[in-house]
């Protein structure tokens, strides 16, 4: 199976999470008029009811290329996960709805080099897939003692094309 990566837009990505960017007019002007604030753009969820807290980690992932063969999806049942690129390079985002505890039909998105994402709690997604070096991301997600990772190896991998 092949799926075509589509541009990342807030509307298309809404079932899976939030697009983090500075598109449109800012919500507030701060710092004596020198800074636009795009306020409260992500539904962060750190599983406080299970002892989770917010954490910021740095991920450094090997760059990949299109076409890209996807053979594994994962999800985090106890918290959201935000990826904020630390370079101005596009990256590939693969997501799928839940279908009775396993991934449903996948979709793929390409960021524009000035976007991050926040995956909602429990969203099936591919591994971090930068398309250029250095593949450096700040990741805001749940830190806690309980398990927060489910992996689903795909019986039938699929290919993402541009």
């Amino acid at each position: 199976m092949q799926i075509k990566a589509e541009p990342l837009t807030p509307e298309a990505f809404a079932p899976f999470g939030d697009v983090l960017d500075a598109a449109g007019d800012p919500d507030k002007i701060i710092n004596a008029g020198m800074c636009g604030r795009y306020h409260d753009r992500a539904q962060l969820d750190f599983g406080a009811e299970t002892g989770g807290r917010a954490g910021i980690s740095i991920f450094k992932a090997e760059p990949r290329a299109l076409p890209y063969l996807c053979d594994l999806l994962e999800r985090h049942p106890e918290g959201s996960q935000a990826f904020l690129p630390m370079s101005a390079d596009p990256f590939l985002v693969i997501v799928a709805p839940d279908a009775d505890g396993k991934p449903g039909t996948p979709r793929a998105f390409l960021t524009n080099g000035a976007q991050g994402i926040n995956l909602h709690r429990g969203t099936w997604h591919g591994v971090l897939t930068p398309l250029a070096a250095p593949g450096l991301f700040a990741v805001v997600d749940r830190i806690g003692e309980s398990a927060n990772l489910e992996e689903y190896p795909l019986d039938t991998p699929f290919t993402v094309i541009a």
Side-chain angles (χ1 to χ4, degrees):
M1 175 174 73
Q2 280 190 343
I3 61 172
K4 184 171 174 56
E6 54 192 284
L8 181 67
T9 65
E11 299 78 20
F13 198 67
F16 310 104
D18 312 298
V19 174
L20 307 175
D21 63 12
D25 294 329
D27 299 303
K28 299 177 182 183
I29 302 297
I30 60 173
N31 296 344
M34 300 298 289
C35 181
R37 179 176 175 148
Y38 295 79
H39 186 69
D40 198 21
R41 294 296 169 120
Q43 296 177 35
L44 301 177
D45 176 355
F46 303 117
E49 71 279 0
T50 59
R53 65 172 176 82
I56 299 175
S57 302
I58 304 298
F59 287 20
K60 188 170 186 181
E62 295 293 323
R64 313 293 179 95
L66 295 172
Y68 172 74
L69 182 68
C70 182
D71 60 0
L72 174 73
L73 294 177
E74 65 181 37
R75 69 178 173 179
H76 307 284
E78 295 193 16
S80 60
Q81 189 174 45
F83 292 88
L84 306 163
M86 297 175 73
S87 65
D89 300 300
F91 65 101
L92 178 65
V93 180
I94 298 170
V95 291
D98 184 67
D100 297 320
K102 61 183 184 179
T105 302
R107 291 177 71 182
F109 297 92
L110 280 174
T111 68
N112 65 14
Q115 296 169 306
I117 60 160
N118 178 58
L119 296 165
H120 291 164
R121 178 195 283 219
T123 296
W124 290 107
H125 62 89
V127 299
L128 182 56
T129 313
L131 298 175
L136 200 57
F137 292 76
V139 178
V140 180
D141 65 355
R142 180 187 184 280
I143 306 297
E145 295 299 318
S146 59
N148 188 30
L149 174 65
E150 292 178 23
E151 293 183 333
Y152 193 92
L154 300 174
D155 292 333
T156 305
F158 60 90
T159 301
V160 179
I161 59 173

